[in-house]
Amino acid sequence: KELHAAYPQNVDFKNGLAISYSKLGETHTALGNLPQALTFFEERSRLGKELHAAYPQNVAFKNGLAISYSKLGETHTALGNLPQALTFFEERSRLGKELHAAYPQNVAFKNGLAISYSKLGWFYRDKMNDVAKAKPYFQQCHDIWKELAEQYPAYQEFRDNYEWVKEQLGY
């Protein structure tokens, strides 16, 4: 924080501070201190927006912003702020679609998009009690994780996620 304050134009210091806020948010989440976690995730997101706006060609900044939206969605869900949570999950998904469309061979972006769909499916099913809205999201992440599991059979996470989403869909 001190380095960023002393050198506000230094992109590395700003990005480092954003990452620190995210880690502090994760730590406070683990400790059960959700209001404090939310504050840190909001600061992380604010810096991420600034970085992405200033350097739109930097894909890592866009991906970091997308991930920060997911953390905000999770935290708002845990706090019971469901409309706000949905907004962040949708924003995370929108950025994930853009990243995947621009870099279709990037496995991390493809997996991130599947994760964003799974969170939307879970949210609609478990928090909004709307199975009809949940199913298309589960189907979309199913299709992506099926493809990833087939392309990278040694990668256990893809196989586990694919099996999980098949259960969600009743396959």
Side-chain angles (χ1 to χ4, degrees):
K1 200 171 182 180
E2 290 174 13
L3 287 170
H4 176 58
Y7 304 97
Q9 300 307 315
N10 185 305
V11 176
D12 290 332
F13 293 159
K14 185 179 229 177
N15 190 45
L17 180 58
I19 292 167
S20 294
Y21 282 139
S22 183
K23 292 191 181 297
L24 284 165
E26 291 168 8
T27 302
H28 280 279
T29 298
L31 292 170
N33 189 357
L34 295 179
Q36 186 62 52
L38 181 61
T39 299
F40 285 121
F41 288 139
E42 287 171 340
E43 280 300 301
R44 193 283 174 244
S45 183
R46 181 185 63 77
L47 290 174
K49 283 181 195 174
E50 290 176 9
L51 287 164
H52 176 55
Y55 303 94
Q57 74 284 1
N58 187 313
V59 181
F61 292 161
K62 186 174 193 171
N63 190 48
L65 180 58
I67 292 167
S68 79
Y69 286 152
S70 184
K71 301 274 188 204
L72 284 167
E74 292 167 3
T75 306
H76 277 290
T77 299
L79 289 169
N81 305 328
L82 299 185
Q84 189 66 39
L86 180 58
T87 298
F88 284 116
F89 286 139
E90 288 172 339
E91 278 300 298
R92 191 315 176 208
S93 186
R94 181 185 63 79
L95 290 176
K97 286 180 201 173
E98 290 176 8
L99 287 164
H100 178 57
Y103 303 92
Q105 299 307 313
N106 186 304
V107 175
F109 294 163
K110 186 180 281 191
N111 187 50
L113 179 58
I115 291 169
S116 77
Y117 288 148
S118 72
K119 288 184 181 190
L120 280 165
W122 166 83
F123 184 85
Y124 275 113
R125 185 193 64 202
D126 293 359
K127 297 300 176 184
M128 304 301 283
N129 297 313
D130 192 339
V131 176
K133 279 193 177 179
K135 190 171 182 178
Y137 290 112
F138 284 138
Q139 188 62 54
Q140 288 175 300
C141 69
H142 168 274
D143 296 345
I144 294 171
W145 279 329
K146 179 179 187 221
E147 183 180 322
L148 288 172
E150 289 171 353
Q151 288 179 345
Y152 304 96
Y155 201 71
Q156 186 66 41
E157 179 185 346
F158 297 152
R159 292 194 324 258
D160 290 346
N161 289 344
Y162 178 51
E163 291 303 316
W164 175 84
V165 76
K166 286 193 315 187
E167 288 177 27
Q168 306 312 301
L169 290 166
Y171 293 170

